[in-house]
Amino acid sequence: GTDAVDIAQLSINTIRTLSMDGVEKADSGHPGTAMALAPVMYALWQNDLKYDPANPLWPGRDRFVLSVGHASMLLYSTIYLTGIRDVVKDKVLERPSLTLDDLKQFRQLNSKTPGHPEYRHTAGVETTTGPLGQGCGNSVGMAMAEKYLAAHYNRPGFDLFDYHTYVFCGDGDMMEGVSSEAASMAGHLGLGNLIWLYDSNQISIEGSTDLAFTENVAERFRAYKWHVVTVDDVNDLAAVSKALEEARAVKDRPSLIVMHTVIGYGAPKKAGTASAHGEPLGDEEIAGAKKAYHWPWTDPFHVPEGVLEHFREGIGARGAKASAEWQALFDAYAREYPKEAAELTAIFERRLPEGWDKDIPKWEADAKGVASRASSGKVINAVAKNLPWMMGGSADLSPSTKTNLTFEGAGSFQPPQWGGTYAGRNVHFGIREHAMGSICNGLALAGLRAYGSGFLIFSDYMKAPIRLSALMELPVIYIFTHDSIGVGEDGPTHQPIEQLAQLRATPGIMTIRPGDANEVSEAWRTLIPQTHKPAVLVLSRQNLPTLDRSKYACASGVAKGAYVLASCEGKPDVILMASGSEVSLVVDAYEKLTAEGIKARVVSFPSFDLFEEQDQAYRDSVLPPDVKGRVAVEQAAAFGWDRYTGIGGAIIAMNSFGASAPLKGLLTKFGFTPEKVYEAARKQAERK
Amino acid sequence: GTDAVDIAQLSINTIRTLSMDGVEKADSGHPGTAMALAPVMYALWQNDLKYDPANPLWPGRDRFVLSVGHASMLLYSTIYLTGIRDVVKDKVLERPSLTLDDLKQFRQLNSKTPGHPEYRHTAGVETTTGPLGQGCGNSVGMAMAEKYLAAHYNRPGFDLFDYHTYVFCGDGDMMEGVSSEAASMAGHLGLGNLIWLYDSNQISIEGSTDLAFTENVAERFRAYKWHVVTVDDVNDLAAVSKALEEARAVKDRPSLIVMHTVIGYGAPKKAGTASAHGEPLGDEEIAGAKKAYHWPWTDPFHVPEGVLEHFREGIGARGAKASAEWQALFDAYAREYPKEAAELTAIFERRLPEGWDKDIPKWEADAKGVASRASSGKVINAVAKNLPWMMGGSADLSPSTKTNLTFEGAGSFQPPQWGGTYAGRNVHFGIREHAMGSICNGLALAGLRAYGSGFLIFSDYMKAPIRLSALMELPVIYIFTHDSIGVGEDGPTHQPIEQLAQLRATPGIMTIRPGDANEVSEAWRTLIPQTHKPAVLVLSRQNLPTLDRSKYACASGVAKGAYVLASCEGKPDVILMASGSEVSLVVDAYEKLTAEGIKARVVSFPSFDLFEEQDQAYRDSVLPPDVKGRVAVEQAAAFGWDRYTGIGGAIIAMNSFGASAPLKGLLTKFGFTPEKVYEAARKQAERK
């Protein structure tokens, strides 16, 4: 029989060759990193990772993040070899997540092995990666979630949450600003449960990293207050395991393991070169590499005898035991702490607690009104106190975004080193919007209802993670205030114009811009029950009148994206549409038109996305196709409104950047006055 | 008379009190940082900064960047006190940039003192700042530009370019990932002409920086290979000057001066607190602060006798002498090196050299065609070799974006430490998209024609600097390839959907997505002459057929944004519109429709922005209002196309994220087939 060293090496080489062969068959992909990191993957998964392949949803499992998502074959090979079971609609099935045939279908249409790992597409993938740096950011959220869950739910003798998050990251991740932000924050938070394994291969697509990246990464991470370990050769399995052990031994700081590697390890000509990164190796290099591995088989996708068994006996047996023990622990916990266990079950199943919405306020009519950021601040507090696993914060703007949770016991999420507790629900993200988005995705991946807030203009800094929330179908809540030229004096650098359009154009996001306080309440009532869609709530800095709902329609229409707020008898001659702060402006114009006998209708339009989800009959009832007179008013780019105004309709919007001045002057300068709206509506009413 | 110490302190306190009073009168703004940094501003400007207030356009001047843009009153006060002259349309006027009255108009409508400093709005402002981290990124570009200009144009005895770039930055800048990326790159490039002065005041909006930011910044910058100096108290002018001197003495590395400061210095209650950051101090605190400064005057905006004279005798006299010497040097240079001097003059005036476009290729009809990234690669080389101050690169993707300049002498921009030269025109930005955008803005501010390239999806990582290019009216060129599901196997994380919409929705950007190689040539011919507008060129990964222009209209129509590529006799029944890779698809459908006797027209639609700039007559000639049958086809979000299809028109577009597969399968999966287009067109042709 093979001895322990042989089977380990054979398993490592199986990961390597499956990865090479997968890329080669696809004629597309990234073989080099998989070849380099296979020993680390083996050492981590086979010997250390707390993971049960038979139960990839086990809440107590360690999380593995492949931030170098292009090396997806490394993960797919490992998912196959360790026998991770498939998951469909949050249920674990008997069948495997990936078969050998799936590996052969790498990067093919409708396959389970897409180019980059996709969460909820392939069981065993903990987060969607590919856009560099994002996996790093996600991992900080995952580690924070573990700390949060442990602080809230662990009890003496019941260490339910005690897992690590491991990340494979590369030079690209290290160069991206989002990982710098996330690392700085992880260092501050003292996340001892977080371990990044940095694949330092000295190679990037344009060539040697000496072309652009010559900093001392280890020193930088020490400056972030991380613990740093180095592995000189990842083929030395004992060294890898020792480094992992050292990293886990440090409990009060995250660890970076700097691993010196050779990209395309074993390939006779391409090893250590950029050409091993992003293209198939070709027959000759594959043959050469297999020779270097002492791999006697010539057929691709060969899995030597004993390898599957070896993983079964290793991670398989170890994981099964650990997850069974955890389940027994949880069952005992459920008997002793039924309320807490029920909460946890709801978290794992993305369910809401009873009565989560019972304190959402109703708002009396009020001409002076309230800024929607302020009404939202009341609602988020009313919701969060009844939804104990809702947590989040702001990129250093909570006094402005009004997202601070102020009820008793909310507290700040801070490490013991800074006199705090991980039970705190207010996260201080620092001035790190990009990391905030990426971290919120990580929190959501653990089942927490995460929210991040900032000024709408700075959604530009975090567009990538917002998009990934949508792609991963995570119900992250983004709260963006200061949503228009209503920002006033801070001027054009701080006044969003195109941001609404870019969020509306992104698939799978629910963007809501409520028009008054009652619409804010309804927006929250609509977005919280979302289990698989991120929401963007767009709020004003300035006061908005609270409409008299005994006169105008009920705000529950928010759930449908757009609704008739007020109308005439019979067919209107003109429809006025607006969102957010412009709703009261079109209401004023409507009143004037009505007083003059012009048949007008007001449509409050908080959400394009929700409106598009309604059936044709509803949409036609709100916007009757035979009414040509249409005016849309929004203090943002006109882009996208033509869908509802049609060619020839009027759009009163921003056609340029804004300006620095008190709001009143800006409204006149840019044409957002009752007179302009009224005039446009009169003209439109004549189009029949 | 006042002695030197008195007048220095009086001048510093004048900066402070003007800043406080400006914010107070506006009832809006950020007083605290100005109060803290006034001594540094004074020490730098009065004694060191190579700057002639009478000639703010002097090309040899030091650059000052207020990355903490919210402290704009600090800069405005200094512009006023040093007597910087006004600039209108790139001409220096006799009148001052700012008067005392302008300071009193801080943050008011149409004032010259907006909330955050705006480039080209207020003379003396070198770059628009406010979005944190951007000034830091810009400064790296400015410093690179100095190195580039020196390498190309300095001659023995003619050190025309020998300036520094100084940056005031704060905790917010330091937390933002873009500054991390930029700092890592500046360290690699060994930019000894770059000095960041870091205002470490320990305070952020949510409170102490201990809430979120406890890393060791100095150590981090040492890891980036920066030189680091510390100033314990910025009120010690000698210490500040010594630190600046030490920083300038280090020639092969950028310097970070860590300055320990007190926000709101002097305010009795608010000093050292978050409330000194972003709101007026109030009468009481102002009175208290003025008392602390031993400031006897009670009237706001008081400028004590002698202060203006003091600045005139300091920076005024010093700057005038230096700029006159420089001008004399330049005149002598122009006699000895007339060609180089002419080039420099063109750079300063944003003019193009004769014959810049003479080698732009024409392309023969070719059914197999060429990827637009590849044709663009040929064109950029043809242009750059005749436009010597065009330089740029990629975020580690140049082999994919085809942006490498390969002609003789192009070379790499690298520091001597790494065996390179700053004369190189290919910049290796590393995997740092955000910094790339911000650096390109800095390069453009120095007159260089900068370009940055990457995959279109990663424009998400750099949205903020793209927007700032537009706001500053800088002709930066962004080249984004892999522009749709045409990416294929890399899958949805790499396939842009909403990116075209978000760029089109942003004011002041020229976005062009050419449909074949000749449109690529015309796109470059259109975008290069832009002097005050950034361009985004959107290119395919996959081959696009090169249309037969003897059969279809000439590609010069690109300049008008959309043009009739082919049409029927008389009024068409249906108009087919497309951009980029979809143009050939609609041409195929057009041919089939025409063969069947259906009157169809094809409009190639490379640029919404350019089309909207055309007059109504042209737009109506391309899209006759009485033709209702319309089909738009684009492998991107439909968002925005309704403007041209109208309600009831057909849009064949992406309604979801993409998928990982070879392109052919994706085209079928997502409905981009000749049959689907043909069917939609047939249906539309019936709408009359």
Side-chain angles (χ1 to χ4, degrees):
Chain A
T2 38
D3 67 18
V5 173
D6 284 346
I7 188 71
Q9 197 55 51
L10 198 62
S11 302
I12 290 165
N13 289 336
T14 307
I15 295 175
R16 284 178 168 138
T17 53
L18 286 176
S19 301
M20 289 156 55
D21 292 341
V23 171
E24 200 66 21
K25 180 153 195 303
D27 197 21
S28 169
H30 303 75
T33 299
M35 294 154 79
L37 295 185
V40 190
M41 198 71 174
Y42 173 83
L44 174 62
W45 283 62
Q46 178 71 344
N47 301 324
D48 287 13
L49 198 74
K50 203 159 70 178
Y51 194 94
D52 177 10
N55 184 9
L57 298 180
W58 168 28
R61 73 190 182 278
D62 286 341
R63 268 42 170 200
F64 174 79
V65 174
L66 188 76
S67 195
V68 284
H70 54 271
S72 51
M73 273 304 301
L74 175 65
L75 182 53
Y76 297 148
S77 302
T78 305
I79 289 173
Y80 163 67
L81 292 170
T82 57
I84 291 178
R85 292 229 202 124
D86 205 7
V87 175
V88 172
K89 296 198 176 161
D90 302 310
K91 297 276 172 254
V92 180
L93 307 186
E94 283 294 317
R95 70 178 190 215
S97 170
L98 297 178
T99 64
L100 202 54
D101 277 340
D102 289 320
L103 300 188
K104 294 177 186 169
Q105 288 299 307
F106 182 49
R107 294 184 159 230
Q108 303 309 302
L109 192 64
N110 302 325
S111 84
K112 295 178 75 182
T113 47
H116 293 82
E118 296 178 24
Y119 175 64
R120 287 172 66 80
H121 186 94
T122 313
V125 172
E126 299 280 8
T127 179
T128 298
T129 52
L132 291 172
Q134 298 299 333
C136 294
N138 296 163
S139 75
V140 174
M142 291 170 170
M144 288 169 64
E146 191 274 340
K147 292 288 189 193
Y148 184 88
L149 291 168
H152 279 269
Y153 295 103
N154 283 0
R155 291 290 180 276
F158 293 98
D159 279 347
L160 291 179
F161 298 98
D162 181 24
Y163 61 76
H164 280 82
T165 299
Y166 296 94
V167 181
F168 278 13
C169 52
D171 289 306
D173 291 296
M174 288 296 164
M175 285 190 248
E176 292 287 4
V178 61
S179 73
S180 299
E181 294 177 11
S184 173
M185 181 153 173
H188 167 74
L189 291 174
L191 299 174
N193 56 352
L194 180 64
I195 299 172
W196 288 6
L197 297 107
Y198 162 38
D199 172 32
S200 176
N201 62 22
Q202 293 278 310
I203 285 295
S204 66
I205 290 175
E206 293 184 359
S208 164
T209 51
D210 286 354
L211 287 172
F213 187 56
T214 51
E215 61 171 67
N216 186 327
V217 175
E219 284 306 315
R220 171 155 66 95
F221 275 71
R222 285 192 189 100
Y224 293 139
K225 299 199 184 340
W226 284 51
H227 168 234
V228 180
V229 195
T230 302
V231 174
D232 288 329
D233 177 4
V234 290
N235 292 296
D236 178 350
L237 288 186
V240 173
S241 292
K242 184 162 165 284
L244 286 164
E245 202 176 314
E246 275 182 45
R248 282 188 299 266
V250 173
K251 308 279 190 195
D252 61 348
R253 276 172 294 158
S255 288
L256 179 75
I257 302 178
V258 180
M259 310 182 298
H260 296 291
T261 65
V262 177
I263 192 169
Y265 179 83
K269 286 181 187 150
K270 293 191 173 176
T273 74
S275 61
H277 169 75
E279 56 194 33
L281 293 170
D283 291 341
E284 219 169 294
E285 286 291 290
I286 288 190
K290 288 185 177 174
K291 197 171 160 197
Y293 303 153
H294 305 291
W295 186 263
W297 300 280
T298 53
D299 52 321
F301 297 100
H302 185 88
V303 178
E305 221 175 303
V307 168
L308 288 166
E309 291 71 13
H310 178 59
F311 280 110
R312 210 148 53 214
E313 288 160 11
I315 184 174
R318 190 169 48 73
K321 182 164 174 285
S323 88
E325 283 169 4
W326 190 91
Q327 191 56 50
L329 189 73
F330 185 78
D331 293 345
Y333 177 88
R335 286 187 295 273
E336 201 152 339
Y337 304 102
K339 179 178 155 285
E340 287 75 5
E343 285 189 11
L344 284 171
T345 307
I347 292 173
F348 305 150
E349 295 175 0
R350 296 196 189 181
R351 280 189 288 104
L352 291 170
E354 285 289 317
W356 67 271
D357 58 349
K358 67 183 159 66
D359 295 322
I360 291 180
K362 293 212 163 172
W363 305 79
E364 296 301 311
D366 176 4
K368 182 173 168 260
V370 53
S372 52
R373 60 172 169 150
S375 52
S376 177
K378 293 249 194 287
V379 183
I380 193 175
N381 270 281
V383 170
K385 84 177 163 191
N386 298 320
L387 178 42
W389 49 97
M390 182 168 168
M391 55 109 66
S394 162
D396 193 44
L397 285 172
S398 66
S400 294
T401 58
K402 310 294 183 195
T403 45
N404 211 35
L405 302 184
T406 55
F407 50 85
E408 204 186 319
S412 263
F413 185 90
Q414 289 289 357
Q417 293 98 305
W418 292 95
T421 156
Y422 294 124
R425 297 174 62 181
N426 289 295
V427 179
H428 298 279
F429 287 102
I431 302 162
R432 306 182 181 108
E433 298 84 3
H434 198 165
M436 177 170 69
S438 192
I439 289 169
C440 282
N441 284 336
L443 292 167
L445 284 162
L448 301 179
R449 288 308 299 270
Y451 60 90
S453 77
F455 292 167
L456 178 57
I457 192 72
F458 299 126
S459 65
D460 277 4
Y461 276 56
M462 52 193 290
K463 174 68 209 314
I466 296 173
R467 183 178 214 262
L468 282 162
S469 301
L471 190 52
M472 287 197 267
E473 302 182 347
L474 294 174
V476 173
I477 302 161
Y478 295 100
I479 302 160
F480 293 130
T481 67
H482 295 62
D483 69 348
S484 73
I485 54 168
V487 164
E489 291 89 342
D490 270 347
T493 55
H494 284 55
Q495 292 165 348
I497 302 292
E498 71 279 17
Q499 282 66 26
L500 268 172
Q502 68 198 32
L503 292 163
R504 287 169 177 161
T506 308
I509 297 177
M510 178 187 292
T511 301
I512 312 183
R513 186 174 185 240
D516 76 348
N518 282 306
E519 286 198 4
V520 168
S521 286
E522 293 307 313
W524 279 100
R525 207 186 297 281
T526 304
L527 67 85
I528 287 283
Q530 296 301 318
T531 50
H532 291 89
K533 191 178 263 197
V536 176
L537 194 57
V538 176
L539 303 168
S540 75
R541 173 187 185 226
Q542 73 276 25
N543 280 2
L544 310 182
T546 307
L547 296 174
D548 181 350
R549 297 287 170 169
S550 67
K551 187 173 170 193
Y552 301 108
C554 169
S556 60
V558 166
K560 294 190 166 178
Y563 65 104
V564 179
L565 195 59
S567 199
C568 52
E569 271 186 52
K571 185 184 143 186
D573 290 330
V574 61
I575 303 173
L576 296 153
M577 298 171 254
S579 78
S581 49
E582 289 69 72
V583 170
S584 65
L585 186 60
V586 296
V587 166
D588 286 353
Y590 160 84
E591 292 294 353
K592 191 168 174 200
L593 292 160
T594 302
E596 293 182 8
I598 294 169
K599 292 171 73 173
R601 164 177 290 194
V602 178
V603 172
S604 179
F605 219 132
S607 176
F608 283 27
D609 316 287
L610 284 165
F611 187 63
E612 291 296 323
E613 284 175 12
Q614 307 310 310
D615 61 23
Q616 188 71 44
Y618 178 77
R619 284 184 282 146
D620 287 351
S621 76
V622 175
L623 303 176
D626 59 346
V627 179
K628 284 204 184 138
R630 297 186 181 198
V631 182
V633 185
E634 197 170 57
Q635 285 171 10
F639 203 82
W641 272 106
D642 302 85
R643 181 166 185 82
Y644 306 114
T645 60
I647 293 172
I651 306 174
I652 298 177
M654 292 295 295
N655 300 308
S656 67
F657 292 109
S660 167
L663 177 56
K664 213 173 158 187
L666 295 178
L667 294 179
T668 309
K669 181 182 173 82
F670 293 110
F672 296 95
T673 59
E675 298 72 39
K676 291 266 186 191
V677 176
Y678 167 80
E679 278 164 34
R682 280 211 60 145
K683 235 186 240 175
Q684 285 289 319
E686 285 158 24
R687 297 178 69 218
K688 286 183 191 172
Chain B
T2 39
D3 68 18
V5 173
D6 284 348
I7 188 70
Q9 196 55 52
L10 200 61
S11 303
I12 290 165
N13 289 336
T14 307
I15 295 174
R16 284 178 167 139
T17 53
L18 286 176
S19 301
M20 289 154 54
D21 292 342
V23 171
E24 201 66 18
K25 181 155 194 303
D27 196 20
S28 168
H30 303 75
T33 298
M35 294 155 80
L37 295 186
V40 190
M41 197 73 173
Y42 173 83
L44 174 63
W45 282 62
Q46 178 70 345
N47 300 324
D48 287 14
L49 198 74
K50 203 158 72 177
Y51 194 94
D52 179 10
N55 184 8
L57 298 180
W58 168 29
R61 72 190 182 280
D62 285 342
R63 266 46 169 197
F64 174 79
V65 174
L66 188 75
S67 194
V68 283
H70 53 271
S72 52
M73 272 304 300
L74 175 66
L75 181 54
Y76 297 148
S77 302
T78 306
I79 288 172
Y80 162 67
L81 291 171
T82 57
I84 291 178
R85 293 229 202 122
D86 205 6
V87 175
V88 173
K89 294 194 177 165
D90 303 309
K91 296 275 172 252
V92 180
L93 307 186
E94 283 294 317
R95 71 179 191 216
S97 170
L98 296 178
T99 64
L100 203 53
D101 278 340
D102 289 320
L103 300 189
K104 294 175 186 170
Q105 288 300 305
F106 182 49
R107 295 185 157 228
Q108 302 309 301
L109 192 64
N110 302 325
S111 83
K112 295 178 75 182
T113 46
H116 292 82
E118 296 178 25
Y119 175 66
R120 288 173 65 80
H121 186 95
T122 313
V125 173
E126 299 281 8
T127 180
T128 298
T129 50
L132 291 172
Q134 298 300 332
C136 293
N138 297 163
S139 75
V140 174
M142 292 170 168
M144 287 168 64
E146 191 274 339
K147 292 289 187 194
Y148 184 89
L149 290 168
H152 279 270
Y153 295 104
N154 283 0
R155 292 290 180 273
F158 294 99
D159 279 346
L160 291 178
F161 297 98
D162 182 23
Y163 61 76
H164 281 81
T165 298
Y166 296 94
V167 181
F168 279 13
C169 51
D171 289 306
D173 291 297
M174 288 298 165
M175 282 189 251
E176 291 287 4
V178 61
S179 74
S180 299
E181 293 177 11
S184 173
M185 182 153 172
H188 166 74
L189 291 174
L191 298 174
N193 56 352
L194 180 64
I195 300 172
W196 288 6
L197 297 105
Y198 162 39
D199 173 31
S200 176
N201 63 20
Q202 293 279 309
I203 285 294
S204 66
I205 290 176
E206 293 185 358
S208 163
T209 51
D210 285 354
L211 287 172
F213 186 56
T214 50
E215 61 170 68
N216 186 326
V217 174
E219 284 306 314
R220 170 156 66 97
F221 274 71
R222 285 192 190 101
Y224 292 140
K225 299 197 181 347
W226 284 51
H227 169 233
V228 179
V229 195
T230 301
V231 174
D232 289 329
D233 177 4
V234 290
N235 291 297
D236 179 350
L237 288 185
V240 172
S241 292
K242 184 163 164 285
L244 285 165
E245 202 175 315
E246 275 182 44
R248 280 188 300 267
V250 174
K251 307 279 190 194
D252 62 347
R253 275 172 295 160
S255 287
L256 179 76
I257 302 178
V258 181
M259 311 182 298
H260 296 290
T261 67
V262 177
I263 192 168
Y265 179 84
K269 286 182 189 152
K270 293 191 172 177
T273 74
S275 63
H277 169 76
E279 56 194 34
L281 292 170
D283 291 341
E284 219 169 292
E285 286 291 291
I286 287 189
K290 287 184 177 174
K291 197 171 161 198
Y293 303 152
H294 306 291
W295 186 263
W297 300 281
T298 53
D299 53 321
F301 298 100
H302 184 89
V303 178
E305 222 175 302
V307 168
L308 287 166
E309 291 72 11
H310 179 59
F311 280 110
R312 209 149 53 217
E313 289 161 10
I315 185 174
R318 190 169 49 73
K321 182 164 174 288
S323 89
E325 283 170 3
W326 190 92
Q327 191 55 52
L329 189 73
F330 185 78
D331 293 344
Y333 178 88
R335 286 188 293 275
E336 202 152 338
Y337 305 101
K339 178 178 156 287
E340 287 76 5
E343 285 189 11
L344 284 171
T345 308
I347 291 172
F348 305 151
E349 295 175 359
R350 295 196 188 182
R351 280 189 288 104
L352 291 170
E354 286 289 317
W356 66 270
D357 58 350
K358 67 183 159 66
D359 295 322
I360 291 181
K362 293 212 162 166
W363 305 77
E364 296 300 313
D366 175 5
K368 184 176 167 254
V370 53
S372 52
R373 61 174 169 148
S375 52
S376 177
K378 294 247 193 289
V379 182
I380 194 175
N381 271 280
V383 170
K385 81 177 167 192
N386 297 319
L387 178 40
W389 50 94
M390 182 167 168
M391 56 111 65
S394 163
D396 193 43
L397 285 172
S398 66
S400 293
T401 60
K402 310 294 182 194
T403 44
N404 211 36
L405 303 182
T406 54
F407 51 84
E408 203 184 322
S412 263
F413 185 89
Q414 290 289 357
Q417 292 96 304
W418 289 96
T421 156
Y422 295 123
R425 297 172 64 181
N426 290 295
V427 180
H428 297 279
F429 287 102
I431 303 162
R432 305 181 182 106
E433 298 83 3
H434 198 166
M436 176 170 70
S438 191
I439 289 169
C440 282
N441 284 336
L443 293 166
L445 284 162
L448 301 180
R449 288 309 298 272
Y451 61 90
S453 76
F455 292 166
L456 178 57
I457 192 71
F458 298 125
S459 64
D460 277 4
Y461 276 56
M462 52 192 290
K463 173 70 209 316
I466 295 172
R467 184 177 211 261
L468 282 162
S469 301
L471 190 53
M472 288 198 267
E473 302 182 349
L474 294 174
V476 173
I477 302 161
Y478 295 100
I479 303 161
F480 292 130
T481 66
H482 296 61
D483 69 347
S484 73
I485 53 167
V487 163
E489 290 88 342
D490 271 347
T493 57
H494 284 56
Q495 291 165 349
I497 302 291
E498 70 279 17
Q499 283 65 27
L500 268 171
Q502 68 197 33
L503 292 163
R504 287 169 178 160
T506 308
I509 297 178
M510 178 186 294
T511 302
I512 313 182
R513 185 174 185 240
D516 76 348
N518 282 304
E519 286 198 3
V520 168
S521 285
E522 292 307 313
W524 279 98
R525 207 186 297 281
T526 303
L527 67 87
I528 287 284
Q530 296 300 318
T531 51
H532 291 87
K533 191 178 264 198
V536 176
L537 194 56
V538 177
L539 303 169
S540 74
R541 173 189 184 223
Q542 72 276 27
N543 280 2
L544 310 181
T546 307
L547 296 174
D548 181 351
R549 296 289 170 168
S550 68
K551 186 171 170 195
Y552 302 108
C554 169
S556 61
V558 167
K560 295 190 166 177
Y563 65 104
V564 179
L565 194 60
S567 200
C568 52
E569 271 187 52
K571 183 184 146 187
D573 290 329
V574 61
I575 303 174
L576 296 153
M577 299 171 253
S579 79
S581 48
E582 290 68 73
V583 171
S584 65
L585 185 61
V586 296
V587 166
D588 286 352
Y590 160 84
E591 293 295 353
K592 190 168 173 198
L593 292 160
T594 302
E596 294 182 6
I598 295 169
K599 293 172 74 173
R601 163 178 289 193
V602 177
V603 172
S604 178
F605 219 133
S607 176
F608 282 28
D609 317 287
L610 284 164
F611 186 63
E612 290 298 321
E613 284 175 12
Q614 308 308 312
D615 61 22
Q616 188 71 45
Y618 178 77
R619 283 183 283 145
D620 287 350
S621 76
V622 175
L623 302 176
D626 59 346
V627 179
K628 284 205 184 137
R630 297 186 181 197
V631 181
V633 185
E634 197 169 57
Q635 284 170 10
F639 203 82
W641 271 106
D642 302 85
R643 183 165 183 82
Y644 306 114
T645 59
I647 293 172
I651 306 175
I652 298 176
M654 291 296 294
N655 300 309
S656 68
F657 292 109
S660 168
L663 177 55
K664 213 172 159 190
L666 295 178
L667 294 178
T668 308
K669 180 181 173 82
F670 293 110
F672 296 96
T673 58
E675 298 71 40
K676 291 266 185 188
V677 176
Y678 166 80
E679 277 165 34
R682 279 212 62 147
K683 236 187 240 175
Q684 284 289 318
E686 285 158 24
R687 297 179 67 217
K688 286 186 188 169

